[in-house]
Amino acid sequence: MRLPRTRPRSLAGQLFAMQVVLIAAVVAGCAVFAYVSGSAQAEQTATRQVRAAAVAVADSPSVREAIRTPDPSAVLQPYAEQVRRDTQIAFVTIMDTERRRWTHPDASLIGETFLGHTEEALRGETFTETYTGTLGPSIRVVTPVRDGERIIGLVSAGITVDRVSSQVREQLGALALAAGGALALGGIGTYVINARLRRHTHGMNAAELSRLHDYHQATLHAVREGLLMLDGQRRIALINDAGRELLGIAPETEALGRTVDELALPAPLTGALLASEARVDELHLTAERVVVVNTRPVVGGERRGTVVTLRDHTELQALTGELDSERGFTQALRSQAHEAANRLHTVVSLIELGRVEEAVEFATAELELAQVLTDRVVGAVEEPVLAALLLGKAAQANERGVELELAEDSLIDDGALPDSLAQRDLVTILGNLIDNAVDAASEGDGHGSAGAVPAQRTASQGAGRARVTVTALADDRELLLRVSDTGPGIGPEEADEVFRRGWSTHGAGRGLGLALVRQAAHRNGGSVELDRAPEGGARFTVRLPLGDRTATEVTA
């Protein structure tokens, strides 16, 4: 029968066991050290005590006088016993230089020979020794009694080793109680800390945590969406490779620990990342990309940080713009087809009425009018993408009652534009500029390009048809795209804001076109300029280098 596999102890359990063993070892070590040092200290204290008693007795004048009497024991025995009781030591023995006792706690031993060494004392020195005498092992001090320069007796004071050991045992009991309390407190504290650690690690062991970390790192690198985690101080706690790419952070740049403000991101994007409330599917622009931003605060009793996801919307935005252009072009063609049918009916009716010459004249005029712009565009702009875009936008403008004309100095030869200049960027730049200009020219007072605030209209604006003029010119150095309109223009106070994402007076969800124009121009090392057109409306000029492309600053 196969035995079930036992799950390894959790990390918290392993740490708890290690900490308990460590605390027990520390407490035991401290207890042993305290015992050893306490024993040594008790012995030193006993030695100082008996030394002080022996020296005091030896220096006493009454002791010297008693030694000179015929019966020293009669005087010295009561005195020695009084000193012994007062100092709480084991014995005070006074003897002659021949080691014959004059005093002893056991009076029956008076007159017998002192058990111990006296050689050093007879030389005039005070010394300490541990010796086994009539009272058992004792710590004793022997010192001479002097009468001038002559040694007339010896004094030995001592305390038994059992007495010292009993004092150490009393201290050891208190020490054991303190050690037990320290061990209990350490164990309780360790349990509380490890219970919290167990909650944070969800009971996983070290191998599981290591495996989870490996999966975590692999997932971060595999996810194509950008992931950014900010701590409570708005510092970057985590960012994956896709997040670095979408935010334009170089791989060699150390991002962890930096605040969002230090990343030099556009102000609207920085505001979204630092917002305390959640953000859902917001479109933001970086230097080269359109990103969809979602943020979610991490809250657990207090603000702990923010989780941010980033999706690349650049390609989808470009495709959406192209689709909008195609949809508008289709609607314009449908409208023109309807208009052509009306004109055809007019020609047929004139023929039926027998007015053939007038029918021919009417049809010829309509054909010439429709062919003028086509011939002008095809003759001046040999770049097929731009030519098709201009024709499509002309049809859309005509549908809205706006005349789109190509400036006389426009000229782009076939092959003049390098392959490195993305056609999608050209469509983004010129398409958005024309759309904004048509909006401004068709709406008149109350609106402006890309949601511009109306400026003072000139007298020339009040007369003539609404018009948008496009200039497309390429030479060896740069491509110039200029779009002007007869709309109300843009006030000077708004000139610095028109390229900001979301700036519009057309309502929510608008105001992205000019921001995309600036982004595409910057991506190709170009610049965007804004000034007033001769007709009084707004004029946007985009310059894209065709040689060595160096990013230039966008001006307005």
Side-chain angles (χ1 to χ4, degrees), residues 191-348:
Y191 177 80
V192 172
I193 293 173
N194 282 273
R196 184 174 182 181
L197 179 61
R198 188 179 297 108
R199 288 195 303 270
H200 287 303
T201 58
H202 302 284
M204 291 186 288
N205 56 45
E208 291 171 334
L209 287 174
S210 177
R211 185 166 58 253
L212 181 63
H213 175 268
D214 293 339
Y215 286 139
H216 173 267
Q217 292 298 318
T219 302
L220 285 180
H221 291 288
V223 171
R224 297 187 62 183
E225 287 191 350
L227 180 62
L228 179 68
M229 294 186 183
L230 307 177
D231 61 17
Q233 285 71 43
R234 304 301 199 278
R235 295 177 305 211
I236 298 177
L238 182 146
I239 185 170
N240 66 349
D241 297 341
R244 283 178 171 273
E245 182 180 357
L246 292 176
L247 294 180
I249 302 175
E252 65 274 7
T253 302
E254 180 57 45
L256 297 182
R258 299 177 64 185
T259 61
V260 174
D261 295 332
E262 297 176 6
L263 300 180
L265 299 173
L269 178 55
T270 300
L273 297 181
L274 297 180
S276 57
E277 70 279 359
R279 300 293 182 92
V280 179
D281 290 341
E282 287 192 358
L283 279 178
H284 289 274
L285 276 75
T286 63
E288 297 185 356
R289 295 180 181 273
V290 180
V291 295
V292 179
V293 178
N294 286 273
T295 68
R296 176 71 63 180
V298 180
V299 180
E302 61 180 9
R303 182 180 177 87
R304 296 182 180 177
T306 305
V307 176
V308 181
T309 61
L310 307 167
R311 298 199 308 273
D312 191 356
H313 202 65
T314 308
E315 297 296 326
L316 181 58
Q317 187 67 36
L319 292 174
T320 301
E322 293 179 10
L323 180 59
D324 289 340
S325 297
E326 295 296 333
R327 185 182 296 114
F329 188 40
T330 302
Q331 292 174 352
L333 290 177
R334 183 182 298 113
S335 180
Q336 284 188 348
H338 179 72
E339 196 67 24
N342 290 335
R343 294 189 182 101
L344 182 59
H345 285 305
T346 302
V347 172
V348 172

